[in-house]
Structures are given as structure tokens and as C-alpha cells.
Amino acid sequence: METLISLLSSLYPDFISGPQGYMLLAFRAVVGFLFILHGLPKIKNLETWSNALGAPLPLCFLSAGFMIAGGTGLILGVLTPFASLSILVSMVYALVLEIIDGLPLVAPDPYELGEFYSGPNGDKGEPPSMEKALIFSVMLVLIMVFGPGAYSLDALLLG
């Protein structure tokens, strides 16, 4: 436990406070909440998600679990770099799969297509792209680099 505290203290010797600290709190909370919202349906429909990805069930379980646990950690600002990293692994894996599939960086806007995209199951929406996994990856790295801010359990425990 002492090694963990020492590591966190060396990563974030000063926790950002003031308006920037409040923005980090809001940013962390929104990103964490979004990952919980992404993880819950995956954990509830684990086998379907595993089959759709073509990934092993235990790997999908870990990914969805880390989205929920990591999202909760981000909201609370506890073990923030580890919470971010646990989710980032899934996002980088998603990016790799999307690159292998040859998906575009940004999908064409549905309005440019003349009608909404219809997926393989007839689902309406936007065509698939790398955009969401990429932006989530950047958001998680930003949280890791700037830290949780002064308004976090990390700051409370280490400050």
C-alpha cells in the first residue's frame, strides 16, 4: 500500500485546484459516467458482445468490468491513473480492431448520406468509425497526465 501511495505522490506532487481543479472534477465525472453507461450494457449482454467482437468471453468481461470500476474510480478521483489506464487498454484495443477493419477516422455525417445509415441488423444511426475510441483514448490520457485535481479522493488521501 505504501508503494502505491508513493507512486501516486510522485505522479502528482501537486493537485490542481481552483477553477482548473473544478473543471478536472467535472471532466473526470463525465468521462467516468460515460464509461459506466458503456460498460453496463456490455456486462449485461456479455456473450452477445463477445460474439459480435469475436473476442474471448473473459477478455470482454474484464473490459466491461474495467469500464464500470474504472468509471467509478474516475468519478471519485481514486487511484485515478490506474482507473484511466484500465479503461485505456480497452480503448486502444478497440482502435486496433477498427484500424484492422479499415474503418475511417470519422464516419460520414448521416445527412451527407441522404438517409441514415442502416447497420447489418437494420439499426439506424451513424456508420462505424474510429472517432469514439480515439477521443475516449485522448480523454483518458489527459486525465492521466493532468491528474485528478484537488477535488478528488486521491488529493484528500495524499494531501
Side-chain angles (χ1 to χ4, degrees):
M1 182 67 161
E2 197 162 312
T3 305
L4 187 62
I5 291 172
S6 175
L7 178 62
L8 283 172
S9 295
S10 66
L11 284 173
Y12 309 119
D14 297 314
F15 291 95
I16 299 169
S17 61
Q20 294 88 355
Y22 286 114
M23 275 312 301
L24 280 172
L25 168 61
F27 187 68
R28 269 192 0 256
V30 168
V31 172
F33 181 67
L34 290 174
F35 274 107
I36 291 171
L37 291 179
H38 279 283
L40 287 174
K42 288 175 176 62
I43 206 98
K44 288 179 184 175
N45 303 289
L46 199 54
E47 194 168 333
T48 304
W49 185 47
S50 172
N51 291 336
L53 274 182
L57 194 68
L59 183 65
C60 290
F61 175 77
L62 284 174
S63 178
F66 281 133
M67 286 181 195
I68 296 166
T72 303
L74 288 176
I75 290 170
L76 299 173
V78 64
L79 299 174
T80 305
F82 306 108
S84 294
L85 184 61
S86 69
I87 303 168
L88 182 61
V89 170
S90 292
M91 292 297 96
V92 169
Y93 180 70
L95 272 171
V96 168
L97 291 179
E98 291 163 352
I99 290 168
I100 289 169
D101 287 347
L103 295 181
L105 181 61
V106 177
D109 192 285
Y111 300 106
E112 292 179 333
L113 298 175
E115 61 182 66
F116 281 104
Y117 168 78
S118 186
N121 297 326
D123 300 332
K124 304 285 185 207
E126 292 187 14
S129 72
M130 293 186 276
E131 183 176 6
K132 194 181 336 181
L134 179 62
I135 196 69
F136 272 136
S137 295
V138 170
M139 293 162 86
L140 290 164
V141 170
L142 185 141
I143 292 170
M144 290 171 64
V145 169
F146 286 97
Y151 313 110
S152 64
L153 287 179
D154 285 341
L156 182 67
L157 296 171
L158 299 173

